Amino acid sequence: MNNLEMIDQEFMQMALLLAKKAALAGEVPVGAIVVKDGVIIGRGSNAPIVNHDPTAHAEIQAMRAAALHIGNYRLVDCTLYVTLEPCAMCSGAIQHARIARLVYGASDAKTGACGSVINLMDEPKLNHHTQVTRGVLAEPCAQVLSDFFVARRKK
């Protein structure tokens, strides 16, 4: 395993903690962090139910916090780590923010917009292309989601 893979796993572990936090709040367990120069500048966990906001996905929450932190809506030279493949809304926001790199854990066969259902990151007509690394800690990321939905069905 190279140094970048080790760094990716460390940051994904932190995003997993945020996903677990979301689950405790009754939200679909997705966590995200934005990193610039090795420092976390934004954190987010799913909160659309709690916030009564359909845009309160983990990625959006993390990018909002990062943008406030640096005082700019452009998150150039940043990496976004998220436990679940982003949807179309989040993928669009990632591109508008000019995130340099996206690292995600579990793929999303129902709404994934980074290769599973559609791939907005590789759309040649769009003017920004975020580099994507898929499947980092995919199994634990998927397990958190699976455990959440199993428990929810038992209620």
Side-chain angles (χ1 to χ4, degrees):
M1 180 180 309
N2 67 36
N3 194 39
L4 183 58
E5 290 171 333
M6 289 177 17
I7 291 167
D8 286 349
Q9 286 190 10
E10 277 182 44
F11 284 123
M12 190 62 73
Q13 288 286 359
M14 293 176 201
L16 265 167
L17 293 174
L18 292 167
K20 292 173 184 176
K21 175 185 167 192
L24 291 173
E27 299 280 358
V28 174
V30 179
I33 60 172
V34 177
V35 174
K36 184 175 177 78
D37 299 325
V39 176
I40 297 172
I41 61 168
R43 292 175 173 81
S45 53
N46 256 9
I49 297 167
V50 172
N51 289 350
H52 308 290
D53 178 357
T55 69
H57 289 194
E59 301 93 310
I60 302 294
Q61 303 283 76
M63 288 188 291
R64 283 178 180 153
L68 286 171
H69 179 81
I70 65 170
N72 193 334
Y73 73 105
R74 296 285 195 213
L75 299 173
V76 178
D77 297 327
C78 291
T79 299
L80 173 66
Y81 292 87
V82 61
T83 58
L84 180 65
E85 179 181 359
C87 67
M89 174 184 70
C90 293
S91 294
I94 289 164
Q95 290 174 319
H96 283 289
R98 303 297 193 262
I99 294 281
R101 187 165 172 256
L102 165 68
V103 179
Y104 72 80
S107 294
D108 187 344
K110 293 184 179 180
T111 64
C114 300
S116 292
V117 177
I118 58 173
N119 193 344
L120 293 176
M121 297 302 170
D122 286 341
E123 174 51 53
K125 293 177 185 171
L126 297 175
N127 66 340
H128 177 75
H129 296 97
T130 298
Q131 177 191 351
V132 179
T133 301
R134 298 166 175 85
V136 173
L137 299 182
E139 288 183 31
C141 290
Q143 191 64 54
V144 168
L145 288 156
S146 179
D147 292 348
F148 174 80
F149 287 113
V150 165
R152 197 161 154 177
R153 283 190 289 273
K154 288 182 181 179
K155 289 184 178 181

